[in-house]
Amino acid sequence: MNLRLLALAGVAVCAVALPLAVASAGPVSDEGHAVVRSLSLGSSDDDPKAPSAAPSPARSPLTLGLGLATAARCGPELSSPDGIEAQTCVMTQGEDTWARTYYRNATGDDLDAVLSLMAPADRTVQMHCAVEAEDEPALCETPRERTRGDLDAYTAVAEFAGRGGSGPLLLRSGSNSSAPTAS
């Protein structure tokens, strides 16, 4: 009888402690995804309106209880006859905006991807990502920048081609695409 009572008390303690532990763990993060190189175009270092890859110290109070809410505006899931699948999104969290593409490479060859985030005032951020020849889902994303202007003015495009620029463009996926543009 005492064993059952102890087991029931243990379950009750876990039922109360687990949500508290999750809530105190902090916001979920997608950091740690490797990229090869980043390039910022269309802005100069002395331009006060230039995007910054550094996180913004001021954060929006928009939360869902466990941290800042993240919004995604994504284009359709596209695939090429060659075996690359992708979906590209403009992501927004608090005052930060960035581009992300989810992909799967079933081509059997290593590929290169260029992910571009086009922002208002002709600002563009590009990320070059190595796409390994494995049929596992992966992602590539640009650095986060402070949102400037209307969110609808942000667009993301990912282009997949052979490694080192060899071969044709295999797939172009955009955050506002309506049809595949594979060649």
Side-chain angles (χ1 to χ4, degrees), residues 26-29 56-71 92-96 98 144:
V28 176
S29 174
S56 171
R59 294 290 184 180
S60 169
L62 302 175
T63 65
L64 293 177
L66 292 177
L68 293 175
T70 302
T92 305
Q93 183 182 57
E95 295 179 358
D96 294 334
W98 69 100
R144 297 173 186 215

Side-chain angles (χ1 to χ4, degrees), residues 19-141:
L20 293 175
V22 170
S24 66
V28 176
S29 174
D30 285 331
E31 294 185 26
H33 298 287
V35 293
V36 176
R37 168 176 61 152
S38 71
L39 173 66
S40 179
L41 302 174
S43 63
S44 69
D45 290 337
D46 50 25
D47 182 2
K49 297 178 186 174
S52 169
S56 171
R59 294 290 184 180
S60 169
L62 302 175
T63 65
L64 293 177
L66 292 177
L68 293 175
T70 302
R73 192 177 75 243
C74 301
E77 295 178 25
L78 302 176
S79 61
S80 76
D82 299 304
I84 185 82
E85 301 172 6
Q87 182 177 30
T88 303
C89 307
V90 172
M91 310 293 289
T92 305
Q93 183 182 57
E95 295 179 358
D96 294 334
T97 301
W98 69 100
R100 178 182 290 171
T101 189
Y102 301 94
Y103 63 86
R104 172 177 264 159
N105 178 9
T107 64
D109 295 320
D110 289 342
L111 304 175
D112 284 333
V114 177
L115 176 61
S116 302
L117 175 66
M118 286 139 316
D122 295 327
R123 292 187 332 268
T124 300
V125 177
Q126 287 188 331
M127 184 62 64
H128 295 258
C129 302
V131 178
E132 302 300 322
E134 56 185 45
D135 190 17
E136 293 297 322
L139 66 86
C140 171
E141 61 184 27

